[in-house]
Amino acid sequence: MYILIAFLAGCGLPLQAAANARLGRAVGNPFAAATIQLVIAAALLLLAAIAAGQLAALQGVVHATWWQLLAGLASAAYVVAGIVLFPRLGAVATVGLFIAGQACASLVLDGFGLFGIPERPPGLPTWLGAAAVVLGIALIVGAGGGAQVRTPGRAGWMVLAAGCGALLPVQGALNVSFVGVVGAPLAVALTSFVVAALGMGAVCLGMRGVGARGRPHAQGLGKMPWWGWSGGLVGACYVTGVFTAMPRIGAAATIGFTIAGQQLVSLLIDRYGLLGLPGGPVPRARLAGAIALLGGVLSIKLA
């Protein structure tokens, strides 16, 4: 069941990215769009916590450490990184580096048993699986097509992309430890998204303070498709699903199955032109990369 939860959480990430991009075009500012989606996620989790009778558990927040409370900033940082890095590295390379960071961080979390994750020292099958995941990512990035984006300080931007990808499994692990303090998963998820929304709101204010272009507006909201509002719901499901699955199947397996779900749905979107995006044949190298990635994930899980 927890494998399925992790897989479905990953399946939603391409939808979240498409929804954020669509809302960003509608309001004329990607940072404002991300803030709106995070607020929607927080509102939905508030309703869920009330319905489940977990709202009172928020009283336990006072017993949490500061780093547990700041876990939600990883969501804001991940979104900002995508907005900043896509034009500098290209979309395919950026996503590939995000995935590489997720995979490496999850192996470290498992290997050292950090933040309440059960310790699972990697054996030979795990290392072989990790190598297959790296090979799959390399094939996917190499099959991205188009001219490579060149920018000054490219190596530094690449390191930043991998580091921001690593934040997602760390966020999941921090939330696992937070649940141990509060005892209510929905209350933890709600706190995480409130922090994320506040962090993204601060980014928006900061961008206005430096005179950045793209003042938010509401002119395009009337033409928004229904799925353009789904980013907040998908994000809430992803974060809650990840920290629910991690203690049961481990960080590496959880992140591996989310990556597998993400790649599968991305392939379907690219092949059939879903969510208003162009479709077409999937390069064989990318398909081979997705197969290698999935094989690596299964090897890690079976280790």
Side-chain angles (χ1 to χ4, degrees):
M1 181 181 70
Y2 295 107
I3 291 175
L4 181 61
I5 289 174
F7 180 75
L8 292 177
C11 286
L13 283 182
L15 174 59
Q16 182 189 34
N20 285 342
R22 184 65 182 82
L23 184 59
R25 292 195 298 271
V27 301
N29 186 294
F31 299 101
T35 303
I36 293 171
Q37 296 285 27
L38 291 170
V39 170
I40 290 174
L44 292 173
L45 286 167
L46 174 61
L47 294 175
I50 293 173
Q54 295 187 17
L55 194 61
L58 288 175
Q59 298 175 0
V61 169
V62 296
H63 302 296
T65 59
W66 64 268
W67 44 267
Q68 289 172 323
L69 294 174
L70 294 182
L73 292 180
S75 295
Y78 183 79
V79 172
V80 172
I83 295 170
V84 171
L85 294 172
F86 271 41
R88 289 172 170 82
L89 299 177
V92 175
T94 300
V95 172
L97 289 164
F98 280 165
I99 292 174
Q102 292 176 53
C104 291
S106 63
L107 287 173
V108 172
L109 290 170
D110 269 351
F112 292 95
L114 302 177
F115 306 119
I117 302 297
E119 184 175 348
R120 293 179 172 87
L124 180 60
T126 300
W127 288 117
L128 291 175
V133 169
V134 172
L135 173 62
I137 294 168
L139 288 171
I140 291 168
V141 172
Q148 292 291 322
V149 178
R150 301 296 179 184
T151 187
R154 179 178 172 83
W157 293 116
M158 293 175 69
V159 171
L160 178 62
C164 288
L167 290 176
L168 291 185
V170 172
Q171 178 191 40
L174 290 176
N175 283 333
V176 168
S177 67
F178 195 1
V179 171
V181 175
V182 176
L186 290 175
V188 169
L190 172 59
T191 303
S192 182
F193 273 92
V194 168
V195 171
L198 291 173
M200 188 59 72
V203 170
C204 288
L205 292 176
M207 296 299 292
R208 289 187 63 183
V210 297
R213 296 180 180 179
R215 186 179 298 274
H217 56 74
Q219 298 173 2
L221 294 181
K223 299 180 180 179
M224 276 274 292
W226 65 268
W227 52 264
W229 297 102
S230 66
L233 173 62
V234 174
C237 291
Y238 175 83
V239 170
T240 306
V242 165
F243 76 71
T244 299
M246 269 190 177
R248 277 78 178 184
I249 63 175
T254 298
I255 297 304
F257 279 104
T258 62
I259 290 172
Q262 178 182 352
Q263 287 301 312
L264 176 61
V265 173
S266 295
L267 287 172
L268 293 175
I269 290 173
D270 288 348
R271 176 64 182 86
Y272 297 105
L274 305 176
L275 304 177
L277 298 173
V282 177
R284 292 182 179 179
R286 184 178 177 188
L287 185 59
I291 293 173
L293 192 151
L294 182 57
V297 168
L298 291 175
S299 178
I300 292 172
K301 176 63 185 76
L302 296 175

